[in-house]
Amino acid sequence: EELLTFTSGLSEAGSVRDSFQNQTSLVDVLNATIYSADGRGFFEYLPTNHILARIIFKVSGQTPVEVASDAFAAMGLVQGTDFTWDAFGGVSGSAFGLHYTPRALAKLGLLYLQQGLAAPDVRIVSKEWVTASTTNKLDPDDKPDNNAPLDGYGYQWYIGENKYMAIGGGGQ
């Protein structure tokens, strides 16, 4: 939960953007961060690490794009046409690198508006996850530090009054 909400106490260890291809293990990715127990529980956007991707790979033996392939297919999304996913050290990224077309983003938005249903009888995400991931997890006094136009953060979603949205840079 702390990794999903950027409240783990981890922060960027300098500028590591040039070293992504050298991050070939979870240890490499974690070594590109600094941990502060005092920062735990407070929002600190960590854009330059692929911790979640490496955890997914270590636990499942699959890259994030492989894990997501069935869900994307159920939404009618085709890799190379509707999205591309950059790899860093051989594993698709989780900090950035997933590039969608407007059509694919609309389908993702529709998936969430339909409470996790890709079609009337095709559930990709549980209703509970949709609700949990789009609910603010930050303390009311802890505002996202990256000038986002909203007031909170869920599980990889920016949260505002009666709304949530994904904000990405560089084509995300």
Side-chain angles (χ1 to χ4, degrees):
E1 183 172 63
E2 290 177 352
L3 290 174
L4 290 171
T5 60
F6 297 115
T7 58
S8 65
L10 293 173
S11 62
E12 185 178 347
S15 178
V16 295
R17 286 191 179 272
D18 294 334
S19 66
F20 289 135
Q21 294 302 331
N22 297 326
Q23 294 178 4
T24 59
S25 69
L26 181 56
V27 171
D28 291 341
V29 173
L30 289 171
N31 282 335
T33 65
I34 298 170
Y35 175 72
S36 167
D38 293 337
R40 194 162 175 224
F42 296 98
F43 185 89
E44 174 72 30
Y45 188 68
L46 189 62
T48 58
N49 270 273
H50 299 284
I51 298 168
L52 294 172
R54 286 293 169 180
I55 291 171
I56 290 167
F57 185 68
K58 186 167 182 68
V59 170
S60 72
Q62 296 181 306
T63 67
V65 73
E66 292 167 330
V67 169
S69 65
D70 289 342
F72 284 167
M75 289 189 291
L77 301 179
V78 177
Q79 187 172 359
T81 301
D82 297 306
F83 71 94
T84 60
W85 204 329
D86 299 339
F88 303 92
V91 174
S92 41
S94 63
F96 57 84
L98 180 54
H99 305 276
Y100 291 108
T101 62
R103 175 181 177 271
L105 285 173
K107 286 188 171 232
L108 180 61
L110 187 60
L111 175 73
Y112 262 67
L113 288 173
Q114 296 177 158
Q115 297 295 299
L117 291 172
D121 59 348
V122 180
R123 179 163 299 284
I124 295 176
V125 180
S126 73
K127 288 180 184 179
E128 294 79 13
W129 181 259
V130 171
T131 298
S133 65
T134 59
T135 300
N136 183 29
K137 306 296 184 212
L138 302 182
D139 182 286
D141 295 327
D142 185 19
K143 303 292 184 205
D145 64 357
N146 60 353
N147 300 316
L150 300 176
D151 298 325
Y153 203 74
Y155 299 147
Q156 304 291 292
W157 293 97
Y158 287 93
I159 309 299
E161 188 176 326
N162 299 315
K163 60 184 170 185
Y164 53 89
M165 69 173 158
I167 302 172
Q172 300 181 83

